[in-house]
Amino acid sequence: MKYAENILGTIGNTPMVKMNALTKELPCLVLAKYETFNPGNSVKDRMALTMVEDAVAAGKLKPGGTIIEGTSGNTGMGLALVAAVKGYKMICVISDKQSKEKVDILKGMGSKVYVCPTDVAPEDPRSYYSTAKRLSEEIPNSWYVNQYDNPSNTKAHFQSTGPEIWDQTDGKVTHFVVGVGTGGTISGVGAYLKSKNPNIKVWGVDTYGSVFKKYHETGIFDKNEIYPYITEGIGEDILPENVNFDIIDGFTKVTDKDAAVYTRRLAREEGMFLGNSAGAAIKGVLQLKEHFSKDDVVVVLFHDHGSRYVGKIYNDDWMRKQGFLE
Ligand SMILES: Cc1ncc(COP(=O)(O)O)c(C=O)c1O
């Protein structure tokens, strides 16, 4: 018989899928690392498990303890899976721009959810960063995960996602393109791939309203770059420790409209029912066209599943209200 000991044993080893319709104008092979096959339907299951395992080993998370995290939804889902299997309580603090589906899913997984305003500075006590931190100080036997600065986030991708991409491409990968939020995925995968072949180029996909691209290009943390945006999962108004700018070759910014429109095109033209950041990622790949040549193998990573966006990207009324659909 072949079976996993519990659901956590099914994390990782996700498929790699060739892109066809959307990338036909590109000269090279484009492959998608398809992370929705993880049990929580996102790449974040990988780092959630590693962060918990490392916290237990370091004595930071003790039996019967409460896991607390500020999350855009997917890390919360991964942590909730781990909490359910390993017997911890779970609190997620989420910002009010995230889809209602994400909040409902977290509650369905047994997590308590606090919703905080998006449009306040990170240091504001109402922000989801500050609220998560405060709760961890108030609740006894609790552990604040802090995916932004927790090195186990990057480590998970260095140990699993990176080696999988290397093996699945037989070491032929030449470019890695991915949306950047906490930075764990790009930094872990990027560092692993460059350790195997320093010529591999690593590109981050950023949003308008986020600080990453300008900071990477100038070293300036420009507050004027910060304003509200709609794309979920990528871009930041802070510099997380998990973004290793040294291993990133460049950023490209994708508009909210393009991210939404391309998410829908992935579903209709490739049969890929994916989240908002996947649309941003594939549009990012198309924007980088001039960097690719015939023999290149470009890997793009798709973070999460479309089911979390049925009330938004996949809802015509919502799309029209944003001005994304005629
Ligand atoms: C949907 C989605 N896309 C992209 C990202 C960015 O990944 P990372 O945090 O590893 O940079 C996240 C992270 O929260 C996400 O939830």
Side-chain angles (χ1 to χ4, degrees):
M1 292 190 282
K2 274 193 196 161
Y3 57 86
E5 283 304 317
N6 57 52
I7 196 67
L8 304 180
T10 68
I11 295 174
N13 292 314
T14 53
M16 190 78 95
V17 186
K18 182 175 178 273
M19 301 298 303
N20 296 290
L22 281 188
T23 53
K24 53 178 187 284
E25 66 182 70
L26 299 183
C28 54
L29 178 64
V30 180
L31 300 173
K33 181 66 170 157
Y34 211 92
E35 288 296 307
T36 66
F37 280 78
N38 285 300
N41 297 141
S42 96
V43 72
K44 296 285 185 158
D45 293 352
R46 298 174 184 265
M47 49 77 101
L49 179 58
T50 305
M51 291 191 299
V52 170
E53 285 175 346
D54 288 354
V56 171
K60 292 179 189 159
L61 178 61
K62 301 196 179 63
T66 302
I67 300 171
I68 301 179
E69 181 60 322
T71 164
S72 64
N74 291 321
T75 302
M77 179 64 173
L79 288 167
L81 286 175
V82 181
V85 172
K86 293 185 180 278
Y88 299 106
K89 295 191 257 321
M90 180 76 218
I91 295 179
C92 291
V93 186
I94 191 165
S95 66
D96 59 7
K97 88 164 194 195
Q98 308 296 335
S99 64
K100 182 174 178 302
E101 289 80 6
K102 286 183 181 172
V103 176
D104 290 342
I105 288 167
L106 292 172
K107 286 186 180 164
M109 287 296 298
S111 175
K112 200 166 178 180
V113 182
Y114 289 78
V115 181
C116 298
T118 306
D119 301 335
V120 293
E123 52 282 2
D124 187 303
R126 293 166 299 166
S127 78
Y128 84 106
Y129 309 102
S130 306
T131 306
K133 202 156 169 289
R134 175 176 59 76
L135 288 170
S136 69
E137 283 154 9
E138 287 171 6
I139 297 170
N141 196 16
S142 65
W143 166 61
Y144 174 38
V145 182
N146 189 7
Q147 59 175 322
Y148 297 95
D149 304 327
N150 186 328
S152 305
N153 175 1
T154 293
K155 181 181 138 188
H157 296 291
F158 188 89
Q159 289 180 337
S160 72
T161 329
E164 286 174 30
I165 292 171
W166 180 256
D167 291 345
Q168 285 169 309
T169 58
D170 276 340
K172 295 193 180 89
V173 52
T174 56
H175 297 77
F176 178 59
V177 183
V178 66
V180 183
T182 68
T185 313
I186 196 165
S187 302
V189 172
Y192 181 82
L193 294 179
K194 288 197 175 191
S195 77
K196 301 300 280 184
N197 173 4
N199 295 325
I200 292 173
K201 295 282 179 262
V202 174
W203 282 90
V205 178
D206 196 13
T207 52
Y208 289 89
S210 160
V211 294
F212 290 145
K213 185 170 190 286
K214 177 143 188 196
Y215 184 79
H216 183 257
E217 287 168 4
T218 64
I220 296 165
F221 181 87
D222 184 354
K223 287 200 167 166
N224 294 321
E225 293 284 298
I226 302 170
Y227 48 86
Y229 57 87
I230 289 163
T231 306
E232 293 182 45
I234 63 172
E236 288 297 340
D237 51 4
I238 55 168
L239 295 176
E241 283 174 27
N242 273 311
V243 184
N244 178 357
F245 287 93
D246 293 340
I247 63 103
I248 299 171
D249 292 284
F251 281 92
T252 184
K253 282 198 181 211
V254 173
T255 64
D256 284 335
K257 180 175 180 179
D258 279 343
V261 167
Y262 275 81
T263 303
R264 286 165 68 113
R265 289 191 61 185
L266 280 167
R268 289 161 191 211
E269 295 172 48
E270 300 274 2
M272 295 178 168
F273 189 53
L274 294 162
N276 196 175
S277 68
I282 197 64
K283 182 62 168 55
V285 168
L286 295 172
Q287 287 174 190
L288 293 169
K289 183 178 172 183
E290 84 241 30
H291 295 271
F292 307 140
S293 49
K294 193 173 127 298
D295 295 327
D296 285 343
V297 177
V298 178
V299 174
V300 57
L301 185 143
F302 293 148
H303 278 82
D304 74 345
H305 195 257
S307 57
R308 284 168 199 168
Y309 305 84
V310 287
K312 289 186 164 183
I313 308 286
Y314 296 105
N315 178 304
D316 288 355
D317 292 336
W318 184 88
M319 286 289 283
R320 258 183 229 112
K321 217 167 120 191
Q322 308 303 325
F324 295 166
L325 199 64
E326 297 308 318

